[in-house]
Amino acid sequence: MAQQKQAPRRSLGFYSADPSQHTFLEDTQGLATGALIAGLGFYFLNQVGLLTGGTAGVAFLLHYASGISFGLLFFIVNLPFYYLSFRRLGWAFSLKTFIAIALVSAVTEIEQQFLLIQYLHPGWAALLGGLLLGYGLLALYRHRASLGGVGILAIYIQDRFGVQAGLVQLAFDLCVMLCAFAVVSPVTVAWSLLGAVVLNVFLAINHRSDRYVVVR
Amino acid sequence: MTDVSEGKSPLGFWASAPDRHSAAEDAQGIAAGSMLAALGVTMLASAELLIGGTAGLGFLARYSTGLSFGLVFFTLNLPFYWLAYRRLGLAFTVKTFAAVALTSLLTELLPDFVGFGTLHPFAAALFGGLLIGTGMLALFRHRASLGGFGILALYLQDRFGWRAGLVQLALDLVVLALSFLLATPYVIVCSIVAAAMLNLTLAINHRTDRYIVR
C-alpha cells in the first residue's frame, strides 16, 4: 500500500491550487465516493431489515411494507424536496444533491447483482452501516451536497413558523422510528437506533467547516 | 493535545482549536479508519484480489499457505515500529500500532459476522479499494498510518540516500511480481483497479492545506 506519498503535484490542473475551493473533478470524485460508500451503508442496513432517519427512513418503511425496491423509493421520496432546496440553497447544492441521490439509488439497485451478502449480524450491520453512511454523508457535506430533504424542510419550517430546525428533524426521525414498530420487530428498531447513533455521532464529531476549510 | 481553554466545547470532547485533534477525536478517527480499511480488506480477500505493501504480503501468505491475513499483517509490521518511533515520533508510532492492531483484529473477526456470498471481483475492487483508501485517508488525517514499507523507505532514504518513492516502488513491484505468480490475468486487472481506487482517493483528498489539523 502506498503510504507516505509526497504532496500531490498541482501542475496537472486537476487539483485546485486554492485550498478553499474544489475543482469540478474534485467535486465529481467527492460525490462518487460519498454516494458509493453511502450506497453500501444502505445496502448493509437493507440486508438485515434495519432503518435509519430522514427520507431514507421513509423509503425503508415503504420498502419493508410494500416490497418495492429501496433505491426506487428513496429516489421518489426525495423528489418533492428539490424545489425547496433550489429556492433556499441554490442550484449548485440542489444539482449535486440530486446527482448524489440518483447515484445512491442506482448503486443500491445494482449492488444486489454483484454483491450478495450471505450472512450479516444485525449489530455489525448497524455499526458498519452507520459508519459507512456517516462517512458517505461527510464526504457529500464537505462537497456541499446532501442526501435529501428533511434537513431542508426543517430549515424552511424554522424560518416560516419559528420552530427550531433540530427539533423538527428529531421529531421527524422519532416518527419514522415509531412507524418502524409497525413493519419490523422491536429488536430491529433497537439495532436501527444504534446505527443512527453511530451515524450522527460520527457526523457531529467530524463535520467542522473550520477544520476542512473548503468554502464552496 | 486537548485544548478546551477557549470554552467552545462544553463537553470537552471536541478540541476547540480547529488545527488540533483531541484524544477522543483521534480515537474515533483511528477506530473509523481501521473499520473501513478492514471492511475493504475483507472484500478484497473474499474475491481473492491482491494489493501492494505489507498488506500484499499478508494476502500472499493467505493465498499460498492458508495463514490468516490479520496475523501475518500484524506480524510483518512489527519490525517497522522501531523505525517509526525513531523517525516519526512516539504519537505517530502508538497510533499506527493501534490502527494496524485494530485492522488486523477486525479482518479476523469480520468474516464471522459478514459473509459475502457472491462478490463480483470488479465490485470487490471498486468498493474494497475505495474503502481502504478512505480508511487510510482518515488515518493519515489523524496522523497515523497502516505501517509498513513507507516507513522503511523513509529510513533508507536518510541512511543511504535512496529515493523513498523509488524504494517503495521497488518493494511494491516485488510484491506484485510474487502475486502475479499466483493470480490469473483477470484477478490482476481487478487488483490494479483496486490499487487505482485506493491511491487516487488518497492522492486527491490528502491535502494538509485543506484538512488543516497538524
Side-chain angles (χ1 to χ4, degrees):
Chain A
M1 255 177 274
Q3 287 153 24
Q4 309 302 327
K5 284 253 160 115
Q6 298 296 305
R9 290 172 57 192
R10 310 281 156 71
S11 54
L12 296 173
F14 185 88
Y15 304 96
S16 167
D18 178 358
S20 71
Q21 293 197 9
H22 285 132
T23 62
F24 177 74
L25 280 169
E26 283 173 334
D27 269 342
T28 305
Q29 70 86 31
L31 290 191
T33 301
L36 277 171
I37 291 184
L40 192 62
F42 283 135
Y43 191 66
F44 273 40
L45 297 183
N46 195 4
Q47 285 294 311
V48 289
L50 300 187
L51 301 108
T52 187
T55 50
V58 176
F60 271 124
L61 282 177
L62 296 171
H63 169 59
Y64 296 138
S66 71
I68 301 171
S69 80
F70 168 80
L72 183 65
L73 287 168
F74 182 59
F75 185 77
I76 292 170
V77 166
N78 276 298
L79 287 177
F81 296 100
Y82 293 114
Y83 175 72
L84 269 183
S85 163
F86 179 71
R87 287 278 303 274
R88 299 195 41 88
L89 296 158
W91 68 268
F93 177 89
S94 306
L95 182 64
K96 284 193 276 190
T97 297
F98 179 82
I99 293 169
I101 286 172
L103 263 177
V104 166
S105 302
V107 165
T108 49
E109 287 299 295
I110 298 168
E111 252 166 0
Q112 36 206 324
Q113 287 165 31
F114 298 99
L115 202 168
L116 275 186
I117 293 179
Q118 216 163 30
Y119 55 91
L120 180 59
H121 188 276
W124 281 92
L127 192 62
L128 290 172
L131 183 66
L132 290 167
L133 278 176
Y135 203 107
L137 275 171
L138 183 65
L140 293 175
Y141 287 174
R142 283 179 175 169
H143 286 271
R144 293 282 175 272
S146 83
L147 277 186
V150 177
I152 303 162
L153 180 67
I155 296 172
Y156 174 76
I157 290 177
Q158 174 167 358
D159 281 12
R160 186 77 189 268
F161 304 104
V163 184
Q164 276 202 322
L167 289 180
V168 174
Q169 185 136 9
L170 184 65
F172 187 93
D173 286 350
L174 282 178
C175 287
V176 171
M177 287 295 171
L178 283 178
C179 294
F181 281 107
V183 286
V184 296
S185 72
V187 178
T188 303
V189 178
W191 286 125
S192 303
L193 278 174
L194 173 71
V197 168
V198 171
L199 195 174
N200 288 300
V201 169
F202 183 83
L203 276 180
I205 296 172
N206 290 295
H207 185 47
R208 291 179 56 158
S209 47
D210 57 350
R211 193 168 269 170
Y212 189 81
V213 298
V214 178
V215 292
R216 74 181 95 148
Chain B
M1 215 178 299
T2 314
D3 177 17
V4 290
S5 55
E6 290 185 52
K8 272 168 83 177
S9 163
L11 296 175
F13 188 85
W14 285 274
S16 56
D19 62 346
R20 285 279 185 276
H21 285 131
S22 71
E25 283 173 334
D26 271 343
Q28 68 85 31
I30 288 166
S34 303
M35 283 184 74
L36 290 169
L39 184 61
V41 166
T42 306
M43 294 180 87
L44 291 188
S46 299
E48 309 221 312
L49 298 186
L50 303 153
I51 201 165
T54 46
L57 290 175
F59 275 133
L60 279 179
R62 180 189 140 97
Y63 299 144
S64 57
T65 67
L67 285 169
S68 87
F69 169 84
L71 188 65
V72 173
F73 181 60
F74 182 77
T75 311
L76 276 176
N77 273 299
L78 289 176
F80 297 110
Y81 295 116
W82 187 73
L83 286 179
Y85 173 65
R86 289 281 301 274
R87 293 200 36 90
L88 298 158
L90 180 64
F92 175 88
T93 309
V94 169
K95 286 190 277 190
T96 296
F97 180 81
V100 170
L102 194 54
T103 304
S104 305
L105 183 68
L106 285 170
T107 51
E108 291 297 298
L109 292 179
L110 271 178
D112 289 341
F113 299 101
V114 188
F116 296 103
T118 322
L119 184 55
H120 193 278
F122 191 77
L126 197 67
F127 282 106
L130 191 62
L131 286 171
I132 298 175
T134 49
M136 287 176 70
L137 181 64
L139 294 176
F140 284 4
R141 284 180 173 169
H142 286 271
R143 292 282 172 272
S145 82
L146 281 181
F149 291 164
I151 300 164
L152 180 65
L154 280 178
Y155 171 77
L156 291 174
Q157 173 159 8
D158 272 18
R159 186 72 188 271
F160 302 109
W162 303 345
R163 293 281 294 273
L166 293 180
V167 170
Q168 181 145 347
L169 182 65
L171 289 168
D172 276 346
L173 284 177
V174 170
V175 174
L176 283 177
L178 289 171
S179 308
F180 287 2
L181 297 174
L182 296 175
T184 62
Y186 183 57
V187 166
I188 292 166
V189 169
C190 289
S191 301
I192 292 170
V193 171
M197 289 298 289
L198 194 169
N199 288 301
L200 276 176
T201 301
L202 285 177
I204 295 169
N205 291 293
H206 186 48
R207 290 180 55 160
T208 45
D209 57 348
R210 190 168 271 169
Y211 189 80
I212 58 167
V213 180
R214 288 192 294 261

